[in-house]
Amino acid sequence: MSTILDKIAAIEAEMARTQKNKATAGHLGLLKARLAKLRRELITPKGGGGGPGEGFDVAKTGDARIGFVGFPSVGKSTLLSTLAGVYSEVAAYEFTTLTTVPGCIKYKGAKIQLLDLPGIIEGAKDGKGRGRQVIAVARTCSLIFIVLDVLKPLKHKKLIEHELEGFGLRLNKDPPNIVFRKKDKGGINLQTMVPQSELDLDTVRTILSEYKIHNADITLRYDATSDDLIDVVEGNRIYVPCIYLLNKIDQISIEELDIIYKIPHCVPISAHHRWNFDDLLEKMWLYLKLVRIYTKPKGQLPDYESPVVLHSDRLSVEDFCNKLHRSIAKEFKYGLVWGSSVKHQPQKVGKEHILADEDVVQIVKKV
């Protein structure tokens, strides 16, 4: 493991020494590609047995999972226990092999699992302990909370982002708009939709040659960087929303608080005094992109107590049926929908109809 770390350190040192300009773009691209390959080896060593989450016993429960990341003594534990204590039906602590899950919080009818991920910061990048398994769990989260001390936020923020980025987690970013298709022959064919400031045919060839790819079609639909191209070639990046929680706001002035509020993706809070939790939960709901659908049994009132929670990417009536039970979709005849996704109340719909938040659905089965 130390040899991989030595190689990573050597490449990072060379990148720091190399001036950034048009002439060195190809060389820097090559170094970045090598770095990405070494980091991948660090997470999943060659011939390593067992799955990525082996031995890290955290069962996924609820409608979404949020990972908490932060340095020691930033108030992470206080925040976790306060949230789980105030908003949870289950305040019992489930101990896992490596970390603590303070139950599931229930918000707007959705059950949301909270997960403390200490190992990401404490030595995961050095391959210590169970860093790999912790990262594997972080990659399954629907949302990341980065908890920062409001008195030294930017220093910690940079360190944590660097750590997570190194393990293929991309925070608050969309996947690169690059079409990449390998082929058997014909060399490297590069198409650009807009002028490129960093990538040209030579740089692209250099990066791809590091992956032993000599025949491919690439279309760049925006001004892309070599990092974007490497992410697409690696193909194992996770794009996850992230909220920065600036804790301990009771220790700063109102003027400083006004400045902090302008930082994107940030929520200032005080875990100790339970300040601004409403704002935090609202933002959490927005970033999770969850949608509530209510069920209505025939001849009865809708059940507004326990909605079926869907993700905004999967909102068809068929997705709704599958969330209830796989067999329902097979017996499906049609659905009756009340709500903003239909013109008439109720309206008869098929499996492919797309639902909206707080719609009411009644499923009619085949006889």
Side-chain angles (χ1 to χ4, degrees):
M1 195 65 79
S2 59
T3 53
I4 295 179
L5 285 169
D6 293 344
K7 286 177 189 170
I8 287 175
I11 290 173
E12 284 180 337
E14 192 177 341
M15 282 168 68
R17 283 198 306 272
T18 308
Q19 278 190 328
K20 269 183 114 171
N21 55 45
K22 203 71 184 159
T24 59
H27 180 59
L28 279 169
L30 183 71
L31 291 176
K32 284 176 178 176
R34 281 183 188 157
L35 195 61
K37 282 170 71 182
L38 287 167
R39 287 206 183 281
R40 176 167 23 109
E41 253 177 79
L42 204 59
I43 309 170
T44 49
K46 285 177 184 169
E54 127 221 22
F56 189 13
D57 191 20
V58 186
K60 197 167 183 177
T61 61
D63 301 300
R65 168 183 267 192
I66 297 178
F68 279 66
V69 183
F71 284 101
S73 72
V74 292
K76 210 157 35 115
S77 315
T78 313
L79 177 63
L80 277 165
S81 50
T82 312
L83 274 175
V86 177
Y87 297 94
S88 173
E89 294 182 322
V90 191
Y93 288 76
E94 306 164 28
F95 285 97
T96 60
T97 50
L98 196 95
T99 185
T100 313
V101 185
C104 277
I105 70 167
K106 196 164 185 188
Y107 186 68
K108 293 193 178 181
K111 290 190 177 117
I112 297 159
Q113 185 183 34
L114 303 177
L115 213 58
D116 192 352
L117 298 173
I120 283 188
I121 301 310
E122 292 144 27
K125 73 174 188 300
D126 306 326
K128 280 183 194 163
R130 287 194 165 163
R132 271 202 317 280
Q133 287 92 318
V134 178
I135 296 296
V137 174
R139 290 168 70 94
T140 67
C141 290
S142 332
L143 173 65
I144 301 279
F145 277 173
I146 293 183
V147 188
L148 302 165
D149 187 327
V150 76
L151 300 173
K152 42 190 168 189
L154 294 176
K155 182 185 167 198
H156 284 182
K157 180 173 179 276
K158 266 194 172 151
L159 285 167
I160 293 170
E161 283 173 344
H162 179 69
E163 193 85 30
L164 295 176
E165 290 259 326
F167 283 108
L169 281 153
R170 301 288 176 261
L171 306 175
N172 294 327
K173 285 182 186 169
D174 293 321
N177 196 354
I178 296 175
V179 179
F180 169 70
R181 200 167 46 246
K182 285 190 206 176
K183 52 187 186 179
D184 296 330
K185 54 187 177 186
I188 302 294
N189 175 28
L190 178 67
Q191 278 190 312
T192 56
M193 301 291 195
V194 296
Q196 299 293 313
S197 54
E198 188 174 323
L199 291 177
D200 55 25
L201 188 56
D202 287 341
T203 310
V204 169
R205 275 197 185 123
T206 308
I207 291 169
L208 293 182
S209 68
E210 179 62 26
Y211 288 94
K212 298 187 171 55
I213 297 169
H214 305 293
N215 302 292
D217 290 329
I218 294 130
T219 308
L220 306 176
R221 292 180 170 163
Y222 69 112
D223 186 7
T225 65
S226 49
D227 289 320
D228 296 335
L229 180 61
I230 290 165
D231 282 354
V232 171
V233 176
E234 283 279 336
N236 61 354
R237 304 306 192 223
I238 301 288
Y239 296 86
V240 64
C242 167
I243 298 175
Y244 302 95
L245 307 185
L246 292 170
N247 192 21
K248 305 183 184 176
I249 55 169
D250 47 309
Q251 297 178 16
I252 60 169
S253 67
I254 296 289
E255 290 76 24
E256 287 171 308
L257 191 56
D258 286 340
I259 295 166
I260 283 167
Y261 249 114
K262 290 172 185 162
I263 303 172
H265 313 295
C266 265
V267 180
I269 56 161
S270 167
H272 183 66
H273 295 289
R274 300 183 185 179
W275 290 352
N276 212 21
F277 276 19
D278 290 349
D279 199 8
L280 163 62
L281 291 165
E282 269 306 314
K283 198 153 198 163
M284 171 195 82
W285 184 260
L286 190 71
Y287 279 49
L288 284 172
K289 295 182 180 169
L290 298 177
V291 171
R292 294 155 293 172
I293 309 295
Y294 302 112
T295 54
K296 182 190 179 306
K298 194 175 177 183
Q300 295 177 34
L301 289 169
D303 177 8
Y304 291 115
E305 290 303 310
S306 42
V308 174
V309 179
L310 300 175
H311 193 269
S312 58
D313 293 344
R314 296 178 293 279
L315 282 180
S316 69
V317 173
E318 189 169 6
D319 293 321
F320 169 77
C321 290
N322 287 336
K323 187 81 190 262
L324 288 170
H325 198 278
R326 292 246 174 238
S327 65
I328 293 176
K330 291 172 190 163
E331 300 165 11
F332 179 89
K333 189 177 179 187
Y334 62 88
L336 291 171
V337 177
W338 292 257
S340 57
S341 73
V342 289
K343 288 178 184 170
H344 313 292
Q345 312 291 335
Q347 186 170 318
K348 204 170 165 178
V349 298
K351 275 187 197 174
E352 59 293 326
H353 176 76
I354 300 298
L355 298 163
D357 191 28
E358 298 202 85
D359 274 0
V360 174
V361 179
Q362 181 181 320
I363 300 295
V364 178
K365 295 181 183 179
K366 294 171 187 163
V367 179

